[in-house]
Amino acid sequence: MAQQVKTAITPTRAEDYPEWYQQVIRAADLAENSPVRGCMVIKPWGYAIWENIQRVLDGMFKATGHVNAYFPLFIPLSFLEKEAAHVEGFAKECAVVTHHRLKSVDGKLVPDGELEEPLIVRPTSETIIGAMFAKWVQSYRDLPLLINQWANVVRWEMRTRMFLRTTEFLWQEGHTAHATQTEALEETAKMLEVYADFAENYMAMPVIKGEKTEGERFPGAVSTFSIEAMMQDRKALQAGTSHFLGQNFSKASDIKFLDDKGELVHAWTTSWGVSTRLVGGLLMTHSDDDGLVLPPRLAPLHVVIVPILRDDADSAKVLEYCQSLAKQIGDVQYDGQKVRVELDRREGRGGDKIWSWIKKGVPVRLEVGPRDFAADSVFMGRRDLTPKDKKGLKREEFLAELPRILQEIQDGLLSRAKAHRQANTVKIDDKEELYRFFTPKNAEKPEIHGGFALCHFEGGKEAEEQLKNDLNVTVRCIPLNAEPEEGKCIMTGRPSQRRVVVGKSY
RNA sequence: CGGGGCGUAGCUCAGCUUGGUUUAGAGCGCCUGGUUUGGGACCAGGAGGCCGGUGGUUCAAAUCCACUCGCCCCGACCA
C-alpha cells in the first residue's frame, strides 16, 4: 500500500485550487466571512501581514516625497457625476447613503431623515480629493502636490473572494497633481516602479510592469499601468495600478493654477493604489499543500520557538533556555529590524503546535527540548523545506546564521516564483495554438492549465472582446521593457511591433 | 443577474433515492481524568445539533413538494 503524504490542507492545489485557497486562509487564521455579504473580517494574523505591507510601502511613499492625509468616506453624489468615464465605471457599484437616522416603527427600525443629496461611500477618491486639490492649488509654486491616503473603500461587486475581491477593502490611494504632463507621467512611472520593487523584494512575487489596453483602463484615466503577477494556478493577478489621469480630473474638479508665465492652466494628475488583494497574491504565490508560506520580510513572526516538554524537572530548564534563546534571537538584526520571535508557551502537544505554525507560514521553527538544552543547540525547521526536513544547530551557530537563513528563504521564494512563471510563459504566434493553450482538457472540472502567452497583438477592442468570449482571456498588459520585435497580430494579422501578455486573470 | 453544486455538532461528512426503532450518527476538534512524550498519540468519560429558514403534503418529514436565505464554483463586472 503506497503511503500518501498527508498534507495539512485538503484539497491540495492540484485537486481543487479555489477550495485550497479558502482552506489556507482558514488554516492560517487570516480572515473569515462576516455576517455582511461580500465583506470579510481580517483576523490578527492576516492583519499583521497587512500592517507589514503598510509599514514598508508607507516608508517608500515618504521616501519619494509623499505625505499622508485623510479624506471623507462619504462623497456627495454630484461629485461622481463630474467626469463622464468615471461615472460610467463606478456608478453601478456604489453604495448609497440616503438617510441619516432611524426611527422605530412597530418595534422595527426603519430609515428616516432623508438626505437632500445622497452620499456615496467612496469606491475611490479622485473626485473628493480633486475638489480639495482645487482649493489647495493656485500657483505653480503649490505643485507638485503629493498626497497619499490609507483608507477603506466600497465597491458593490457581484462576486467576491476573500482578499482578492471583497465589497469593502483596505487600500492605499496616492493622488498627485503636477504642473506639467511630463512630471505627471514621471510620477506614474515612478510609483509603478515602487510597486514593482515592493512586490519583488518584499513579497518575493515577480511582476511584469506594463501598460493596460484601452479596455482595461481605469475609468477616467488617459493611461493605466499595472504590475501583473502569476499565481500558482497560472492566472494573472493585477497587483497594483498607477494611472496617468491627464487633465481629465483637473478639468472635472477645476484644479487650476497660474503658471510661471502668469497663465491660468489645468494641473496634470495621477493616482495609484494597492490593496489588501496583495495578501491574496502573497498567499497564492508561495503557499503549498501544508498551508501558508510567508516571505520573511513580511512575516508577522520570523521565528517561533516550540518547547518540547517532558517532565516537570526538565520543563523548567527547557523553558528557561527557550526564554533566553528568544531574547537572543530578538536582538538579532534582519532587514534593518529586530528579528520577530515568539515562544509558544501554549499547553498541548508539540506536534499540534508545530503544525499550527506550519499552516501559518512562519519562516523558521525551532523545536527545543531537553536534548537541545543539554547540547546548547536548537532543532530547526524551515517553511520553505518539507515539514520533516529539520536539522540541529549549535545555538551560537544558529544565532550567527539566522539573518542569512532568513534572507536565503526570502531569495529562494522569489526564485521559485520566477521559475514557475518562466516555466509557464510561452511565446505563441499561431492562433490555434493559443486556443489550445487556454482550453482545458477536462471541461467539466478544468485542470490547472495555460499561463502567460506572449503574443503579437494589434487587434484593438473587437479582437480583445473575441479573446474574452472565446477563451476568457485578456491582454494583461503591454510590457514596458519588452524588446521591439516585428510580427503579426495573432488575431488580425496586422503588423505588430511588440508582444503583449495574454492570460486568464483574477 | 444567469448556469451548476451545497447547506445535518466548531470542522469534514454519512443518513435523504424507497418518509416510521434515529429519544438524530461518525471521524476530527473541544472539556474532565488517566497513560504517554523529539512530535499532528492512546484509553475512559463528557459537553455540543429544534438537520439553513418559512410554508405545505402526511397519522408521521433531516428525508417528499413549494418558496426563501446563505455559501462555493463557472460566467457577466471588477483591484
Side-chain angles (χ1 to χ4, degrees):
Chain A
M1 200 165 83
Q3 180 148 16
Q4 207 181 343
V5 178
K6 191 179 175 190
T7 57
I9 303 294
T10 43
T12 61
R13 286 163 291 179
E15 286 162 356
D16 187 344
Y17 194 86
E19 183 61 23
W20 165 85
Y21 176 78
Q22 307 214 132
Q23 292 306 325
V24 173
I25 289 173
R26 194 168 63 182
D29 213 19
L30 295 178
E32 63 186 61
N33 277 315
S34 74
V36 183
R37 183 201 182 105
C39 296
M40 65 174 174
V41 175
I42 305 177
K43 299 183 77 174
W45 192 249
Y47 199 76
I49 296 170
W50 177 241
E51 285 180 309
N52 281 335
I53 291 173
Q54 280 187 301
R55 173 177 52 79
V56 174
L57 279 174
D58 200 61
M60 289 176 156
F61 299 154
K62 304 263 171 71
T64 44
H66 303 85
V67 289
N68 285 330
Y70 186 79
F71 298 84
L73 171 68
F74 299 124
I75 298 177
L77 188 56
S78 58
F79 280 33
L80 190 70
E81 295 165 348
K82 289 178 181 174
E83 212 289 329
H86 201 61
V87 178
E88 205 181 312
F90 287 107
K92 52 189 176 297
E93 56 187 39
C94 280
V96 188
V97 180
T98 54
H99 294 75
H100 65 87
R101 66 170 170 244
L102 295 165
K103 67 176 172 188
S104 186
V105 177
D106 300 332
K108 300 258 185 196
L109 287 173
V110 296
D112 189 30
E114 190 166 353
L115 297 173
E116 275 188 33
E117 182 185 354
L119 299 166
I120 61 165
V121 178
R122 64 181 162 221
T124 179
S125 304
E126 271 75 8
T127 57
I128 192 146
I129 291 181
M132 299 316 293
F133 275 19
K135 295 171 77 172
W136 298 348
V137 174
Q138 284 156 41
S139 150
Y140 69 94
R141 293 195 177 90
D142 296 326
L143 296 173
L145 196 49
L146 308 173
I147 301 281
N148 177 66
Q149 91 162 337
W150 290 96
N152 57 338
V153 285
V154 166
R155 296 181 187 175
W156 216 269
E157 303 285 354
M158 297 178 178
R159 192 175 151 209
T160 58
R161 279 162 151 291
M162 290 247 228
F163 288 109
L164 300 174
R165 178 169 300 104
T166 47
T167 301
E168 179 190 11
F169 58 95
L170 305 182
W171 79 345
Q172 144 286 306
E173 48 180 327
H175 294 269
T176 69
H178 306 262
T180 66
Q181 177 176 25
T182 309
E183 259 186 58
L185 279 167
E186 278 169 7
E187 169 78 7
T188 310
K190 182 196 287 175
M191 299 322 288
L192 188 73
E193 193 56 52
V194 165
Y195 289 153
D197 175 25
F198 175 76
E200 301 219 0
N201 295 314
Y202 285 84
M203 296 180 69
M205 181 174 81
V207 292
I208 297 172
K209 290 173 284 184
E211 182 171 357
K212 287 295 193 180
T213 57
E214 186 190 345
E216 299 271 316
R217 207 173 279 156
F218 176 75
V222 173
S223 52
T224 287
F225 299 84
S226 73
I227 52 172
E228 300 283 331
M230 184 191 285
M231 303 294 102
Q232 290 183 76
D233 62 352
R234 307 183 201 167
K235 283 189 182 174
L237 183 80
Q238 180 174 312
T241 51
S242 186
H243 314 291
F244 169 61
L245 304 175
Q247 293 176 308
N248 292 351
F249 283 90
S250 64
K251 283 176 179 165
S253 299
D254 222 21
I255 308 172
K256 287 183 296 198
F257 65 97
L258 282 170
D259 67 14
D260 53 5
K261 294 177 210 64
E263 276 182 64
L264 192 61
V265 293
H266 284 107
W268 300 79
T269 65
T270 79
S271 68
W272 28 273
V274 297
S275 70
T276 35
R277 165 177 266 199
L278 289 180
V279 178
L282 196 64
L283 191 165
M284 287 200 289
T285 300
H286 304 302
S287 301
D288 60 22
D289 296 336
D290 287 322
L292 194 63
V293 176
L294 291 169
R297 294 183 94 176
L298 293 178
L301 289 176
H302 294 124
V303 182
V304 63
I305 305 170
V306 179
I308 306 297
L309 306 174
R310 265 190 175 159
D311 50 61
D312 292 342
D314 280 343
S315 291
K317 287 181 198 160
V318 170
L319 273 176
E320 202 179 316
Y321 178 67
C322 287
Q323 262 164 336
S324 74
L325 183 62
K327 195 168 181 306
Q328 285 180 307
I329 292 170
D331 283 332
V332 173
Q333 291 277 318
Y334 170 70
D335 189 29
Q337 293 192 306
K338 289 187 168 188
V339 167
R340 300 186 278 270
V341 58
E342 184 171 312
L343 173 56
D344 184 354
R345 301 196 59 164
R346 289 176 298 172
E347 276 185 50
R349 295 182 59 79
D352 297 320
K353 296 205 282 186
I354 288 160
W355 277 98
S356 77
W357 293 114
I358 291 174
K359 288 185 278 194
K360 280 176 176 288
V362 176
V364 173
R365 304 183 306 279
L366 295 182
E367 304 171 15
V368 177
R371 260 188 247 162
D372 307 287
F373 164 65
D376 196 30
S377 65
V378 298
F379 201 55
M380 177 184 74
R382 289 168 47 154
R383 190 59 184 86
D384 60 335
L385 306 176
T386 69
K388 304 221 157 169
D389 202 349
K390 298 183 271 201
K391 68 172 183 176
L393 286 170
K394 282 285 176 192
R395 183 174 52 84
E396 287 301 334
E397 186 191 356
F398 170 76
L399 289 169
E401 288 286 294
L402 184 55
R404 195 188 56 74
I405 292 168
L406 290 171
Q407 194 52 41
E408 195 176 292
I409 295 173
Q410 178 81 32
D411 295 340
L413 292 179
L414 178 62
S415 53
R416 193 154 81 187
K418 273 186 178 165
H420 175 263
R421 184 180 69 181
Q422 190 169 5
N424 295 292
T425 301
V426 291
K427 286 188 181 179
I428 295 181
D429 292 312
D430 177 62
K431 189 171 167 184
E432 269 182 40
E433 195 187 332
L434 183 72
Y435 275 58
R436 229 178 297 126
F437 188 63
F438 285 117
T439 305
K441 291 193 177 70
N442 181 354
E444 287 291 303
K445 190 174 176 290
E447 73 282 1
I448 291 173
H449 65 280
F452 286 177
L454 303 178
C455 305
H456 280 283
F457 186 85
E458 279 294 348
K461 251 186 165 173
E462 310 82 57
E464 258 191 280
E465 198 66 29
Q466 200 189 335
L467 276 175
K468 181 133 201 182
N469 288 336
D470 293 356
L471 298 171
N472 194 29
V473 299
T474 46
V475 175
R476 296 320 306 153
C477 70
I478 304 157
L480 293 180
N481 53 3
E483 316 226 328
E485 181 190 296
E486 293 285 329
K488 280 183 185 168
C489 171
I490 196 160
M491 296 302 283
T492 62
R494 296 210 282 254
S496 154
Q497 305 305 310
R498 76 278 174 280
R499 288 176 184 272
V500 304
V501 178
V502 176
K504 300 198 181 197
S505 73
Y506 276 98

